[in-house]
Amino acid sequence: MEVKEPSPAYAKQQYTIEEYLEMENAATEKHEYYQGEIFDMSGARLPHIVATSNLHFALRLKLNGKPCQPYGNDMRIHIEKNTLFTYPDLSVICGEPLSLNNDGMNFLNPSIIFEILSPSTKDYDRGAKFQLYRDIPTLKEYVLIHTDTIHIEAFFINTHGNWELIEYKSISQTIVLPTIQVSIDLKDIYEGTKVAG
């Protein structure tokens, strides 16, 4: 999903979390919330949709019957430390999904977050948004999937507690997700996207 400028539909400058949730629960489109501001989220282009679908399918197959499960972009993630409410393209939660005030709608404990990049969002997803995601205590991996070329950036917390990066740039490679002990071939993620290797 793409994040735009603050939504013009909401003329008020600042909103409380309660106001945002009330409006979001009644809205027909998704909005991101951060420190009192509400931002529109627009639709995605076909390569983004295809890569997301491919990855979700692969994760579902490999995690079937295991305690970790993948969720699509209808799952709203909330980061209590910095106020962000957002909809990652894909997330994996291990164990029981925990939500804000047990509301079953605003989830707090993803282990892995995946963002499928688009030209308009890649700088935000790689920079400011990653900084915000690092405030999630349970987050162990953050994976960025480019759709204009074969390129995956997989960040993970190493044994020293620091974020480390592994890059994948060949269709013949296999991405390894250590938190859930799963490997996925890049060809399966990029199938149907028409991205040249």
Side-chain angles (χ1 to χ4, degrees):
M1 299 291 286
E2 297 189 15
V3 179
K4 296 183 178 179
E5 294 299 310
S7 175
Y10 302 116
K12 182 179 173 183
Q13 292 296 310
Q14 292 287 311
Y15 292 86
T16 66
I17 286 175
E18 292 72 22
E19 288 172 328
Y20 161 74
L21 292 175
E22 183 178 349
M23 290 186 294
E24 191 70 354
N25 292 340
T28 56
E29 297 179 351
K30 296 173 184 171
H31 302 85
E32 188 171 272
Y33 174 95
Y34 179 61
Q35 294 187 350
E37 289 190 275
I38 295 175
F39 301 83
D40 283 330
M41 299 187 75
S42 66
R45 292 182 175 85
L46 187 59
H48 184 290
I49 295 167
V50 172
T52 303
S53 179
N54 289 345
L55 180 57
H56 197 176
F57 179 73
L59 287 167
R60 176 66 63 192
L61 283 178
K62 291 178 179 286
L63 292 173
N64 187 40
K66 296 184 179 180
C68 299
Q69 291 300 312
Y71 298 92
N73 64 13
D74 283 330
M75 173 169 276
R76 189 163 61 225
I77 299 293
H78 174 49
I79 307 174
E80 292 183 289
K81 185 174 179 180
N82 60 43
T83 78
L84 181 68
F85 286 83
T86 191
Y87 298 84
D89 288 313
L90 286 165
S91 54
V92 173
I93 292 179
C94 295
E96 187 70 23
L98 303 177
S99 59
L100 180 67
N101 301 321
N102 296 314
D103 62 9
M105 296 181 68
N106 300 287
F107 294 91
L108 307 171
N109 62 324
S111 298
I112 307 175
I113 287 177
F114 301 86
E115 292 287 7
I116 313 299
L117 302 182
S118 63
S120 63
T121 66
K122 64 182 180 181
D123 290 340
Y124 173 54
D125 288 336
R126 296 179 78 247
K129 198 166 196 181
F130 187 22
Q131 290 288 339
L132 296 173
Y133 279 154
R134 290 186 212 184
D135 284 337
I136 302 173
T138 57
L139 190 67
K140 305 298 181 197
E141 297 181 57
Y142 182 50
V143 181
L144 299 170
I145 298 173
H146 295 251
T147 55
D148 55 350
T149 186
I150 304 295
H151 186 194
I152 295 178
E153 297 173 86
F155 295 89
F156 65 97
I157 297 179
N158 63 24
T159 55
H160 301 290
N162 299 315
W163 285 96
E164 189 172 325
L165 170 65
I166 296 179
E167 294 186 83
Y168 302 86
K169 295 185 177 182
S170 169
I171 198 69
S172 63
Q173 288 182 290
T174 298
I175 182 174
V176 178
L177 304 169
T179 301
I180 54 176
Q181 298 181 338
V182 161
S183 299
I184 301 174
D185 293 339
L186 267 66
K187 66 180 178 60
D188 293 333
I189 296 173
Y190 283 99
E191 182 181 2
T193 63
K194 297 183 170 57
V195 177

